DNA sequence: ATAGTGACCGCGT
DNA sequence: AACGCGGCCACTA
């Protein structure tokens, strides 16, 4: 058993905070870990999940409310199964985030939180 | 030390 | 509405 990077532990801990019957997005988890906007790292960490972890990794989906794992894979199938067993319903392969989204952030239910404007780092490449 | 990859996100066309 | 592209960070060869 190798030692896992601390960042992974941090992320996994955050994932553990997601209550049953709820789902969180990669972005949300990233934000909790202080990695605001860097959801990829969350995905990376989850990809390296230890096999016998108690981490509810299946409660993590992308911002569209869909399973990010490659379809036709065991993981994808398993995730959907686990979520349904927790009461999370899939509508056309999609989860209603405004309904099942974890309250990791105030106003997370609203897609556009007024004032909660995140840093716009988009440089005007226009010129 | 450099390069490549990844269970993503947001914006532009 | 759907598709494509770039960007950011950490980890592995």
């Amino acid at each position: 058993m190798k030692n896992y990077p601390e960042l992974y532990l941090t992320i996994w801990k955050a994932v553990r905070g997601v209550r049953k019957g709820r789902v969180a997005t990669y972005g949300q988890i990233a934000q909790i870990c202080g990695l605001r906007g860097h959801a990829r790292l969350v995905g990376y960490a989850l990809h390296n999940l230890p096999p016998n972890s108690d981490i509810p990794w299946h409660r993590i989906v992308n911002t569209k409310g869909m399973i990010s794992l490659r379809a036709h894979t065991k993981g994808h199938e398993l995730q959907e199964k686990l979520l349904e067993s927790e009461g999370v319903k899939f509508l056309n392969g999609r989860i209603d985030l405004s309904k099942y989204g974890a309250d990791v952030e105030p106003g997370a239910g609203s897609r556009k939180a007024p004032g909660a404007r995140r840093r716009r780092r988009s440089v005007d490449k226009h010129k």
Side-chain angles (χ1 to χ4, degrees):
Chain A
M1 180 124 141
K2 53 196 210 175
N3 294 332
Y4 291 95
E6 209 166 316
L7 180 59
Y8 286 10
L9 302 178
T10 305
I11 292 173
W12 297 338
K13 193 165 72 176
V15 174
R16 247 190 229 180
V18 182
R19 306 222 252 161
K20 183 176 161 193
R22 282 276 133 98
V23 296
T25 66
Y26 294 92
Q28 293 287 10
I29 297 299
Q31 188 173 351
I32 295 171
C33 298
L35 301 165
R36 180 170 46 180
H38 300 179
R40 311 183 100 209
L41 303 183
V42 177
Y44 197 71
L46 290 180
H47 181 63
N48 284 280
L49 261 180
N52 29 359
S53 61
D54 290 24
I55 316 288
W57 60 271
H58 54 274
R59 293 180 193 152
I60 310 303
V61 295
N62 62 26
T63 192
K64 298 177 217 159
M66 302 172 93
I67 296 174
S68 278
L69 286 167
R70 272 278 185 100
H72 298 289
T73 62
K74 214 58 185 285
H76 184 282
E77 208 174 290
L78 178 61
Q79 181 169 11
E80 186 174 334
K81 194 153 122 192
L82 288 171
L83 286 173
E84 286 194 326
S85 79
E86 290 189 353
V88 177
K89 293 173 185 174
F90 282 80
L91 300 174
N92 204 343
R94 191 159 70 202
I95 300 172
D96 190 345
L97 287 181
S98 61
K99 192 171 184 181
Y100 296 102
D103 342 327
V104 289
E105 180 191 12
S110 313
R111 25 219 158 150
K112 299 192 230 184
R117 210 46 299 139
R118 64 183 61 187
R119 208 99 59 79
R120 357 176 270 124
R121 38 175 77 294
S122 291
V123 290
D124 33 323
K125 57 174 121 199
H126 175 49
K127 169 52 18 69

